[in-house]
Amino acid sequence: MAPPSRDPWLDNVKMVLVTLVVIGHAIGLVEASQGSHWVYDFIYMWHIPAFVFVSGYLSKSFEWDRRRMKSLVYTLAIPYLLFEPALFYYRKLVVGEGVEGPIWLVPHWTMWYLIVLLMWRLVTPILKRHWLFLPLSVIVSLAGGLWNDDSLMIPRFLGLLPFFVLGLHLKPRHLAHLDDVWVKVAAVPTLVGIGVMALYTDTWAETALLWYDTGYSDIPISNEIVFQTRLTVMMVGLLGAFAAMALVPRRNLGWFTTMGTATMVVYLFHGFVIKTVKVLGWPDFTAAHPHLGLVLTIAGAIGLALLLASPPVRRVLEPFTNPLGWLEKRRDRRSPAPTSA
């Protein structure tokens, strides 16, 4: 079970969100189905903002001290240095995808979040000093669309910054209001409304805006309204994030809550499984059976997330997500305990 000191609600939220990450990436196998585009847009309107918000909320204690900097290197920098080339060459040599570009400098596919989160953490001691950094981060996000260089995913670092800063500044007493009855009641029509908006994404916005990594010059929206559209997407993302989190149970859900402590395992390894399914021919099946393929793909993505977070699989894979930390713990366990005189 999760340690008593952990907030079970946060672990529940993390497990829900990382499962949506897997679903979102798996939807690429079902592009022949029209319904897949609606599911994709609906999820991407709010699940990335929610994930970034939670990351910011859990980064409050970060400071530039030796212990936390070491943890940053162990849990984000080292995994990025290892998994970025591993996924790149797996896609290129095994799956046969024509991925190009320098590794590490330009993050590939799922690996962008590690380097962007690392950079957010590095500026956290500054961003959490005053609430005025929140409106400033909105301005930075709107201006971030002018950046067209994907190096280190700076566009996403800038574009998603407001959600991270909001997480830094909101306190538990603020999030406690998500448990209010009226908030939970309002959450349902809010998500339904966002679902309706997702049906018409290309009429009021562009799917590319949901990724926060596409420059305005590459989006077919006039310069007069592109900033307003970006701001609308951010507002919808924020409403959807809070609506979804309000519906997540606060209590400990047993095995599901425990799985919420293994989100890094799910995040780092699910891409290899999805690409393996692709090379085995799953897109051909979904093209022939688009609706059935969509349902099975979503169900399979949920099953994959639960499998990777399950204790037996987690015990095997977790050392790869933090190899230096795992080696240190193993060394400490083998060291003889000090004895008194």
Side-chain angles (χ1 to χ4, degrees):
M1 302 297 293
S5 59
R6 297 182 67 98
D7 184 347
W9 175 72
L10 283 173
D11 286 331
N12 294 338
V13 168
K14 286 164 58 183
M15 191 61 208
V16 169
L17 292 178
V18 80
T19 300
L20 290 171
V21 169
V22 180
I23 294 174
H25 290 151
I27 290 294
L29 303 174
V30 207
E31 293 183 354
S33 171
Q34 184 177 3
S36 67
H37 298 290
W38 171 76
V39 174
Y40 184 91
D41 286 351
F42 172 69
I43 292 175
Y44 272 81
M45 278 186 180
W46 55 269
H47 94 284
I48 293 181
F51 217 119
V52 175
F53 169 81
V54 172
S55 296
Y57 187 79
L58 296 175
S59 299
K60 294 175 181 290
S61 63
F62 184 82
E63 297 289 347
W64 295 318
D65 57 52
R66 181 176 180 179
R67 180 177 64 85
R68 292 182 178 91
M69 292 297 289
K70 176 183 175 181
S71 176
L72 192 67
V73 171
Y74 278 25
T75 60
L76 290 177
I78 298 299
Y80 179 69
L81 293 175
L82 294 176
F83 280 84
E84 163 68 4
L87 184 59
F88 174 82
Y89 286 111
Y90 188 82
R91 295 174 64 191
K92 189 178 184 68
L93 302 178
V94 178
V95 184
E97 293 185 336
V99 288
E100 300 294 341
I103 58 174
W104 295 309
L105 180 62
V106 180
H108 294 88
W109 199 32
T110 62
M111 293 297 108
W112 70 270
Y113 199 73
L114 298 181
I115 190 64
V116 171
L117 179 57
L118 186 149
M119 293 188 293
W120 281 330
R121 286 266 174 87
L122 286 175
V123 295
T124 287
I126 298 174
L127 296 176
K128 68 181 183 180
R129 286 185 178 179
H130 203 283
W131 65 267
L132 284 176
F133 281 107
L134 181 56
L136 180 61
S137 69
V138 175
I139 298 174
V140 169
S141 176
L142 294 176
L146 301 172
W147 194 294
N148 287 321
D149 188 354
D150 285 338
S151 297
L152 298 179
M153 276 300 165
I154 295 298
R156 277 177 166 164
F157 170 82
L158 301 174
L160 292 163
L161 185 63
F163 304 108
F164 186 84
V165 177
L166 182 62
L168 288 177
H169 288 278
L170 288 192
K171 295 178 171 54
R173 69 174 185 272
H174 299 134
L175 294 185
H177 290 296
L178 293 178
D179 209 30
D180 293 348
V181 175
W182 73 268
V183 175
K184 291 183 177 294
V185 171
V188 176
T190 297
L191 290 176
V192 171
I194 293 175
V196 174
M197 293 181 69
L199 288 171
Y200 306 98
T201 303
D202 292 334
T203 62
W204 65 273
E206 287 287 330
T207 299
L209 279 172
L210 309 181
W211 304 329
Y212 291 88
D213 66 347
T214 306
Y216 295 148
S217 60
D218 297 324
I219 296 176
I221 298 178
S222 62
N223 294 332
E224 291 77 14
I225 64 172
V226 69
F227 288 96
Q228 176 186 338
T229 306
R230 174 73 164 258
L231 184 60
T232 302
V233 169
M234 291 170 58
M235 293 173 61
V236 171
L238 185 62
L239 286 173
F242 282 127
M245 289 190 294
L247 296 177
V248 175
R250 290 271 177 175
R251 67 183 185 278
N252 191 311
L253 299 178
W255 59 268
F256 187 85
T257 302
T258 302
M259 287 183 175
T261 65
T263 52
M264 183 62 81
V265 174
V266 179
Y267 192 85
L268 290 177
F269 284 95
H270 78 276
F272 294 93
V273 179
I274 290 176
K275 291 305 179 182
T276 301
V277 172
K278 177 182 178 180
V279 79
L280 292 177
W282 184 250
D284 297 332
F285 174 83
T286 60
H289 308 85
H291 300 298
L292 177 61
L294 176 60
V295 173
L296 292 178
T297 298
I298 294 176
I302 295 173
L304 174 60
L306 296 177
L307 176 65
L308 290 174
S310 64
V313 177
R314 173 184 179 175
R315 280 193 293 269
V316 174
L317 298 180
E318 203 163 36
F320 297 98
T321 68
N322 184 5
L324 296 184
W326 178 77
L327 289 173
E328 281 193 1
K329 289 181 180 179
R330 188 171 182 178
R331 181 192 60 196
D332 293 341
R333 285 196 300 265
R334 289 183 175 181
S335 299
T339 57
S340 58

